[in-house]
C-alpha cells in the first residue's frame, strides 16, 4: 500500500478532530451512526429502501447476500449509506465507517446503487481509493490514543474489538502499525 506523503498522519488527525467535534475523548469509541449524523449522511438498512421487491429484500438480508457490506447512494445533495443489517454490530460499524471514510476523503467516484429506473450507475472505487478508505476506517475506529488504551487494558482483545467495531485482526493490526505494542515493551523494559 503506497500512500501519499502525510496521508497516515492526516488520518490520525481526522480521527481526533471528529472526536473533538463530537465532544468525545481521543481514545473514545466512535459510533458509526453518530459520525454519520455529524457528516449529514443518512444511514439506511436495506429494509428502509422504499419499493424494494420482497424477493430482493430476502436475498440481500439472507446468508446469500452476506458478501455485500454497504454502499453509498449519492443523490443530488443527499448522501445515503445503505448497509447490511444482517451483519454483526461490530461489522456494521466498520462497514458504515468505511463508507463515511470515502465521504471524508471526498472520493467523488462513489459507488452508486442502482434503484428504480433512474440513471444511477454502479461505479466502484478504484484500488487506491479503497486502500485509502480502508486505512482511514481503521484509524477512525482505533486512533493511536485508543490503541494505547486497548493495549494497556486487561480486558480481552475480543471484547475490545467488539466495543470499537473492528475485527480482532484489524485491532491487532492497528496495535502494530501505531507502534503502541513496541512502545509498551520499551516502557516496561526501562521500568
Ligand atoms: Zn470502499
Amino acid at each position: 500500500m503506497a500512500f501519499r506523503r502525510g496521508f497516515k498522519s492526516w488520518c490520525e488527525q481526522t480521527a481526533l478532530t471528529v472526536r473533538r467535534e463530537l465532544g468525545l475523548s481521543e481514545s473514545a469509541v466512535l459510533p458509526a451512526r453518530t459520525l454519520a449524523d455529524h457528516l449529514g449522511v443518512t444511514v439506511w438498512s436495506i429494509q428502509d429502501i422504499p419499493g424494494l421487491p420482497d424477493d430482493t429484500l430476502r436475498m440481500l438480508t439472507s446468508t446469500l447476500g452476506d458478501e455485500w457490506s454497504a454502499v453509498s447512494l449519492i443523490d443530488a445533495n443527499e448522501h445515503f449509506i445503505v448497509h447490511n443489517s444482517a451483519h454483526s454490530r461490530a461489522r456494521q460499524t466498520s462497514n458504515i465507517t468505511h463508507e463515511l471514510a470515502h465521504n471524508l476523503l471526498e472520493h467523488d467516484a462513489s459507488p452508486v446503487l442502482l434503484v428504480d429506473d433512474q440513471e444511477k450507475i454502479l461505479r466502484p472505487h478504484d484500488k487506491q481509493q479503497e486502500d485509502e478508505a480502508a486505512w482511514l476506517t481503521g484509524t477512525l475506529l482505533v486512533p493511536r490514543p485508543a490503541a494505547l488504551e486497548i493495549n494497556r487494558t486487561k480486558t480481552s482483545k475480543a471484547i475490545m474489538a467488539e466495543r470499537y467495531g473492528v475485527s480482532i485482526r484489524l485491532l491487532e493490526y492497528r496495535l502494530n502499525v501505531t507502534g503502541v505494542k513496541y512502545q509498551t515493551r520499551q516502557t516496561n523494559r526501562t521500568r
Side-chain angles (χ1 to χ4, degrees):
M1 251 182 283
F3 294 118
R4 62 180 178 270
R5 212 182 146 81
F7 175 75
K8 291 178 182 177
S9 44
W10 178 84
C11 290
E12 287 287 342
Q13 280 308 317
T14 302
L16 301 186
T17 302
V18 295
R19 278 173 172 76
R20 206 176 308 125
E21 288 169 355
L22 289 165
L24 299 170
S25 80
E26 290 191 336
S27 60
V29 169
L30 180 62
R33 283 175 180 76
T34 307
L35 179 60
D37 279 349
H38 184 59
L39 298 174
V41 175
T42 307
V43 178
W44 273 354
S45 299
I46 199 83
Q47 290 90 341
D48 300 328
I49 301 178
L52 205 65
D54 281 351
D55 51 347
T56 307
L57 180 66
R58 260 197 306 279
M59 202 276 283
L60 288 171
T61 53
S62 74
T63 49
L64 277 175
D66 201 42
E67 304 82 34
W68 80 282
S69 302
V71 286
S72 283
L73 177 62
I74 297 166
D75 197 356
N77 301 313
E78 282 209 87
H79 183 174
F80 296 93
I81 290 172
V82 183
H83 77 104
N84 192 341
S85 52
H87 286 163
S88 72
R89 276 181 60 87
R91 192 150 165 221
Q92 290 181 34
T93 298
S94 52
N95 292 343
I96 295 167
T97 306
H98 177 97
E99 293 304 312
L100 295 172
H102 281 302
N103 176 298
L104 282 163
L105 287 161
E106 297 176 2
H107 288 164
D108 45 19
S110 300
V112 169
L113 188 71
L114 192 68
V115 288
D116 300 327
D117 51 352
Q118 288 162 32
E119 301 244 333
K120 293 192 177 84
I121 46 163
L122 195 67
R123 285 181 306 178
H125 290 293
D126 64 28
K127 174 82 169 68
Q128 180 70 30
Q129 291 186 330
E130 282 313 322
D131 288 348
E132 288 178 4
W135 188 273
L136 179 56
T137 301
T139 311
L140 281 170
L141 293 171
V142 186
R144 199 165 186 284
L148 268 172
E149 190 139 314
I150 292 165
N151 202 45
R152 209 182 291 135
T153 178
K154 297 270 183 289
T155 312
S156 80
K157 296 286 183 287
I159 290 172
M160 294 312 279
E162 178 73 30
R163 197 173 290 169
Y164 277 83
V166 293
S167 64
I168 295 177
R169 221 178 108 232
L170 180 55
L171 185 81
E172 292 287 356
Y173 182 69
R174 289 295 304 159
L175 297 184
N176 277 314
V177 296
T178 53
V180 301
K181 270 190 163 171
Y182 177 74
Q183 189 186 351
T184 310
R185 272 200 300 273
Q186 290 289 94
T187 317
N188 289 343
R189 205 173 296 148
T190 50
R191 248 177 219 152

